[in-house]
Amino acid sequence: GLPLAVPVYGCVVIVKPSKSTNSTTGHVGFLYEHAGKNMTLLGGNQGNRVCRSRFAPINVLGYRWPSRLTPGALSQTVWV
């Protein structure tokens, strides 16, 4: 997808691997909410279900938007 400088509701958020779980891979999810010091992502493959999980923005590696959207689609998107 297209890299974003700031998060946009619905964008894909890339989270770095968690040291607490000894993970060697990161996590991705769709930005569901950004309130206070945390972001809530909608993701799957967590306990074999789709769920919302909170992450601190300091753990985010980047934001992406699907590259196949029609031109101008981002102009109607809400930035957070």
Side-chain angles (χ1 to χ4, degrees), residues 46-73:
Q46 299 166 324
N48 292 322
R49 62 188 174 95
V50 174
C51 63
R52 293 179 293 202
S53 301
R54 289 189 181 166
F55 294 90
I58 195 166
N59 294 318
V60 171
L61 295 175
Y63 308 101
R64 298 287 189 273
W65 193 259
S67 56
R68 293 190 177 222
L69 284 179
T70 57

Side-chain angles (χ1 to χ4, degrees), residues 2-53:
L2 302 171
L4 298 173
V6 295
V8 176
Y9 286 115
C11 72
V12 175
V13 180
I14 304 163
V15 181
K16 61 184 164 183
S18 173
K19 292 180 182 179
S20 65
T21 61
N22 294 322
S23 177
T24 58
T25 60
H27 185 73
V28 295
F30 296 101
L31 181 59
Y32 179 82
E33 181 180 46
H34 189 207
K37 296 182 180 182
N38 290 309
M39 301 182 148
T40 301
L41 305 184
L42 179 65
N45 198 22
Q46 299 166 324
N48 292 322
R49 62 188 174 95
V50 174
C51 63
R52 293 179 293 202
S53 301

